[in-house]
């Protein structure tokens, strides 16, 4: 008689497989990762793998969905907080995303090169599309509130939410490229140039988002630049 897992055991084992797959993505790349690799990393049989996932593509969808769900659980309460005006909600949205990444800074920097390998192109594209689908509605609700309050002046909150999310994703990719740029000069000079490039880029994206929303100039801060100094310090091995 086949053994039936209770729901808690099922989710624990499924998460174990997802954890193993995520580690392999950073190590080998999604395209190079095999189901046999996942079996070995997770310590499971082939039959056990297929009990939880129909295919490697289903596993990919599971990794992305879990990541999105975790982020939405953190961000949704911000959007639903009736005590906050829209501008403050949007600012807290940016701060929460930044804080989440900063809490995992060393890990994210360590795996960043793997994330941008050609072998992970499919994963990046699917994650980007999922991010638009999951997070744009949260932003749309905040923007709609801001229009009602007079803080924003956008004729299309739905479109604005999608564009703002796309810009945030593009900014994140740009920040990663600067952090990974090995062509910058060494030591403190390398860090100073990286910090300057980062500041210029973030300033440009901030201005673009304020204009899309019809928000007052200087009303938004996407990233705390003092926090970014720490990222650059860790990535470039030295002091600013």
């Amino acid at each position: 008689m086949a053994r039936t897992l209770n729901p808690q055991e099922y989710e624990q084992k499924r998460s174990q497989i997802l954890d193993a797959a995520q580690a392999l993505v950073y190590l080998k790349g999604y395209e190079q990762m095999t189901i046999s690799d996942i079996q070995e990393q997770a310590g499971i049989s082939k039959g056990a793998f297929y009990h939880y996932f129909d295919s490697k593509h289903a596993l990919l969808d599971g990794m992305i969905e879990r990541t999105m769900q975790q982020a939405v659980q953190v961000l949704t309460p911000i959007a639903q907080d009736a005590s906050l005006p829209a501008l403050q909600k949007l600012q807290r949205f940016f701060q929460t995303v930044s804080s989440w990444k900063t809490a995992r800074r060393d890990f994210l920097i360590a795996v960043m090169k793997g994330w941008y390998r050609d072998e992970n192109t499919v994963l990046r594209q699917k994650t980007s599309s999922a991010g638009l689908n999951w997070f744009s509605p949260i932003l749309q609700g905040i923007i709609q509130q801001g229009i009602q309050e007079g803080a924003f002046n956008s004729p299309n909150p739905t479109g604005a939410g999608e564009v703002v999310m796309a810009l945030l994703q593009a900014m994140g990719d740009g920040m990663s490229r600067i952090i990974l740029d090995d062509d910058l000069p060494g030591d403190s000079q390398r860090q100073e140039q990286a910090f300057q490039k980062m500041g210029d880029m973030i300033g440009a994206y901030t201005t673009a988002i304020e204009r899309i929303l019809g928000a007052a100039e200087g009303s938004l801060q996407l990233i705390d630049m003092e926090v970014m100094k720490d990222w650059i310090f860790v990535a470039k091995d030295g002091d600013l």
Side-chain angles (χ1 to χ4, degrees):
M1 182 175 180
R3 178 173 176 263
T4 302
L5 294 177
N6 66 40
Q8 184 177 0
E9 290 177 331
Y10 181 90
E11 287 303 320
Q12 287 176 344
K13 180 60 71 172
R14 187 174 186 275
S15 291
Q16 177 186 338
I17 297 171
L18 290 173
D19 289 341
Q22 186 168 320
L24 286 167
V25 162
Y26 297 131
L27 181 65
K28 302 186 66 171
Y30 171 74
E31 295 295 340
Q32 301 299 321
M33 176 183 70
T34 67
I35 291 176
S36 295
D37 291 331
I38 299 166
Q39 291 174 232
E40 182 178 353
Q41 182 80 7
I44 59 172
S45 66
K46 190 172 185 179
F49 173 86
Y50 284 110
H51 179 70
Y52 295 94
F53 299 99
D54 294 337
S55 64
K56 183 179 169 183
H57 289 297
L59 175 70
L60 173 61
D61 290 339
M63 284 192 291
I64 293 171
E65 182 178 14
R66 183 176 69 163
T67 300
M68 297 299 135
Q69 286 176 339
Q70 290 170 345
V72 166
Q73 287 174 359
V74 175
L75 296 172
T76 297
I78 298 171
Q80 295 178 344
D81 189 342
S83 69
L84 294 177
L87 191 59
Q88 190 173 345
K89 283 183 180 181
L90 191 57
Q91 190 61 59
R92 191 166 294 183
F93 181 100
F94 298 147
Q95 290 171 346
T96 300
V97 172
S98 178
S99 296
W100 185 91
K101 290 182 177 180
T102 298
R104 298 158 178 81
R105 181 194 60 206
D106 292 358
F107 168 75
L108 291 175
I109 289 175
V111 303
M112 206 174 280
K113 287 185 178 180
W115 177 252
Y116 285 98
R117 289 168 58 179
D118 290 344
E119 291 86 347
N120 285 326
T121 299
V122 172
L123 177 58
R124 290 199 309 275
Q125 291 174 341
K126 294 198 71 169
T127 301
S128 178
S129 296
L132 285 173
N133 292 333
W134 283 77
F135 303 131
S136 294
I138 298 176
L139 289 170
Q140 290 162 16
I142 296 174
I143 294 168
Q144 183 64 58
Q145 179 186 340
I147 293 171
Q148 294 171 353
E149 294 172 352
F152 305 145
N153 181 22
S154 174
N156 183 358
T158 299
E162 293 175 354
V163 171
V164 169
M165 189 63 219
L167 286 173
L168 291 173
Q169 290 177 331
M171 184 180 73
D173 286 337
M175 292 166 62
S176 297
R177 286 195 296 271
I178 292 172
I179 289 172
L180 294 174
D181 186 1
D182 291 330
D183 293 330
L184 291 171
D187 303 327
S188 61
Q189 184 182 3
R190 174 176 59 176
Q191 292 178 34
E192 191 62 50
Q193 290 192 17
F195 185 66
Q196 183 62 50
K197 288 179 67 175
M198 191 85 74
D200 291 344
M201 185 191 68
I202 291 172
Y205 276 102
T206 302
T207 298
I209 290 175
E210 287 175 345
R211 291 179 179 177
I212 288 167
L213 297 178
E217 183 178 352
S219 60
L220 295 175
Q221 182 186 38
L222 303 186
I223 300 288
D224 183 344
M225 290 307 298
E226 291 301 314
V227 172
M228 291 316 304
K229 281 187 178 182
D230 292 335
W231 280 78
I232 294 170
F233 170 79
V234 172
K236 305 299 183 186
D237 298 323
D239 291 320
L240 273 172

